[in-house]
Amino acid sequence: MKAYTHGGDILTAQTGFQGEIVDFSANLNPLGMPESVRRAAAAAVKGAVHYPDPLCRMLTEGIARRDGVKREWVLCGNGAADLIFRLAFAQRPKRALVTAPTFSEYQEAMEAAGSEVVYHRLTPDNDFNLTDAVLEDLDGRLEMAFFCTPNNPTGQPIARGLMERILERCAGRGIRLVVDECFLALSDSGESGGLAGYVKSYPNLLLLRAFTKCYAMPGLRLGYCITSDTGLLDRLSRCAQPWSVSAPAQAAGVAALQEPLHPLLARQLIEVERRWLTGELTGLGLRVFPSAANYLLFQRAGVTDLRERLLKRGILIRSCANYVGLTEDYYRIAIRLRGENERLVRALKEVL
């Protein structure tokens, strides 16, 4: 069975600590799920005696209006990860590029579909920033390239000028460009820093977005992609089971679209708490990397069991040992509310 390597594994964590666990391993909106979203999902359970809308019509129309794209350019899925795997099997590229470190599902989906994965390495010397050096790797041997902005787990966004150069290079060389914007709504720029306005001009561009992070609803599983390549969307639809998005998830998504201030209020809180946490962690001797997102990557050189130490105190953080390009002494934490952040700092002082 495939090992689970992501954050948010509360059930396993509870086997090592008897009590309430504060989860810093899942980088969600610190304000939690809006109550209107919770009510909508609960109400939809009453209608679960019927199949959910296989086309997600209300949800798709709402997303298209909100993101300023055509309805036929939007496809919903059972989380962004579902769409990543669909894409891998729909296109089956011979060779795909991913950065390292980044979200591991790009690599795993490509390898599952029989693709060769090549890495563009990011380094701590420049805080894991993506630079123009990546353009040299976008050559004619590639069929697909993945980029995440802001990147997970580094929190670094891709500069707009560089992103435009990547767009041009991929378009000119026939490379399918996949840009993961799932954390964009909780980043400093918000969704105004996204690429939805480029989709019409670049049919090779596919954007990944999700409700999971910005509305704190990972258990409902809801993501979507945007592309003007309707032929690709048709293939993605054929690579999915029918009714891949449940009725409660669709209802929650429709309700979330009516809460535009929720990510904005979270961004304001995140900016303050991220600055405070960065200062506190740096004061403890940790190397904290700059971030524009709702999470921080840090390193404590030579300490490979920090996750286990903190778990004994009811704090769950994300070990980054499984990320290509990182070592066992790298960790990621979500930005949470001040009281929880203070509890993390106290626990770190105790275990370090």
Side-chain angles (χ1 to χ4, degrees):
M1 181 180 294
K2 176 183 174 182
Y4 183 82
T5 57
H6 298 289
D9 188 3
I10 290 293
L11 287 177
T12 300
Q14 287 173 335
T15 64
F17 180 79
Q18 303 304 314
E20 179 189 1
I21 292 176
V22 182
D23 186 8
F24 282 86
S25 71
N27 33 15
L28 307 175
N29 187 324
L31 298 178
M33 185 188 300
E35 185 56 34
S36 62
V37 174
R38 191 185 310 275
R39 289 197 303 267
V45 173
K46 296 179 181 178
V49 294
H50 305 291
Y51 284 104
D53 177 4
L55 303 179
C56 301
R57 278 164 281 206
M58 287 185 61
L59 178 58
T60 298
E61 289 173 4
I63 290 171
R65 284 195 302 271
R66 197 273 306 271
D67 291 0
V69 297
K70 293 184 178 181
R71 179 180 56 80
E72 56 266 29
W73 295 353
V74 178
L75 180 67
C76 295
N78 187 32
D82 170 38
L83 294 164
I84 292 169
F85 275 85
R86 286 200 222 176
L87 178 63
F89 285 94
Q91 188 156 339
R92 292 186 182 271
K94 293 180 180 179
R95 186 178 174 93
L97 179 139
V98 300
T99 58
T102 196
F103 186 49
S104 62
E105 295 302 301
Y106 314 140
Q107 168 200 341
E108 296 193 9
M110 290 298 108
E111 291 177 343
S115 304
E116 177 189 359
V117 175
V118 295
Y119 296 101
H120 176 80
R121 302 276 178 166
L122 308 175
T123 68
D125 297 338
N126 70 339
D127 297 326
F128 297 104
N129 269 304
L130 187 70
T131 69
D132 279 271
V134 73
L135 298 175
E136 298 179 7
D137 290 342
L138 297 172
D139 57 40
R141 296 175 296 167
L142 290 177
E143 294 183 12
M144 189 174 292
F146 286 86
F147 294 94
C148 185
T149 182
N151 191 30
N152 175 18
T154 66
Q156 291 283 16
I158 300 174
R160 176 52 61 94
L162 175 55
M163 193 74 254
E164 291 176 343
R165 290 189 288 278
I166 292 171
L167 275 165
E168 289 294 336
R169 181 64 62 92
C170 289
R173 300 193 175 181
I175 301 170
R176 174 75 62 190
L177 175 59
V178 184
V179 180
D180 186 338
E181 296 183 341
C182 287
F183 291 101
L184 197 63
L186 297 181
S187 71
D188 290 349
S189 68
E191 291 180 328
S192 64
L195 298 178
Y198 291 79
V199 169
K200 180 179 180 180
S201 301
Y202 294 90
N204 66 309
L205 173 63
L206 182 139
L207 303 181
L208 292 167
R209 294 184 173 184
F211 290 81
T212 303
K213 310 301 181 183
C214 54
Y215 291 98
M217 44 186 279
L220 287 171
R221 310 305 305 136
L222 181 58
Y224 63 97
C225 65
I226 305 173
T227 182
S228 60
D229 186 344
T230 54
L232 174 62
L233 290 179
D234 181 65
R235 296 195 298 276
L236 292 177
S237 296
R238 294 173 184 273
C239 285
Q241 60 171 318
W243 316 292
S244 59
V245 182
S246 71
Q250 291 186 43
V254 171
L257 292 171
Q258 306 305 312
E259 298 282 357
L261 292 181
H262 195 66
L264 172 62
L265 294 173
R267 288 200 300 272
Q268 295 171 349
L269 182 149
I270 288 163
E271 184 178 2
V272 173
E273 292 303 307
R274 189 179 62 219
R275 187 183 310 116
W276 182 85
L277 262 177
T278 298
E280 293 292 319
L281 270 57
T282 301
L284 292 175
L286 307 177
R287 182 180 180 182
V288 184
F289 293 89
S291 171
N294 60 315
Y295 45 92
L296 288 170
L297 176 71
F298 68 88
Q299 181 188 30
R300 180 60 179 254
V303 177
T304 61
D305 63 343
L306 188 56
R307 179 184 180 279
E308 289 72 25
R309 295 187 198 182
L310 289 172
L311 188 54
K312 293 178 180 178
R313 287 163 172 78
I315 302 287
L316 179 60
I317 66 172
R318 174 70 156 88
S319 167
C320 293
N322 73 303
Y323 281 94
V324 174
L326 297 180
T327 51
E328 293 181 344
D329 53 1
Y330 280 87
Y331 302 90
R332 190 195 69 200
I333 56 169
I335 307 299
R336 295 183 63 94
L337 301 178
R338 176 58 62 93
E340 296 166 321
N341 295 335
E342 289 175 339
R343 178 174 168 180
L344 169 65
V345 172
R346 287 195 300 270
L348 283 167
K349 289 178 179 178
E350 293 171 0
V351 302
L352 293 174

